[in-house]
Amino acid sequence: MTTTTDSPGNGFASIPNDLDGIERLCEQLYTAQDSTIRKHAESVLFPLSTNPRHLSQGTMILENAK
């Protein structure tokens, strides 16, 4: 899986560049029984909705949505 990272030290984990990775995190966010897994998924996905630098990834998600 290819990943991109936000600035070092910002507290966010790597954001997957591939749609499968993002979909996996979304599934974990909404279905994982373990709160640690849900929190991790949320922390990785959060920049996609708040950081304009990730607009291309958001566009990719919408263009390739099932």
Side-chain angles (χ1 to χ4, degrees), residues 22-59:
I22 293 170
E23 287 178 343
R24 194 171 28 259
L25 286 168
C26 290
E27 183 176 345
Q28 290 174 354
L29 178 63
Y30 291 104
T31 64
Q33 298 297 314
D34 185 338
S35 64
T36 304
I37 294 171
R38 288 192 313 269
K39 287 178 185 177
H40 171 74
E42 180 180 18
S43 72
V44 174
L45 293 170
F46 182 74
L48 287 173
S49 66
T50 60
N51 188 331
R53 285 187 9 203
H54 298 294
L55 181 60
S56 62
Q57 287 172 304
T59 302

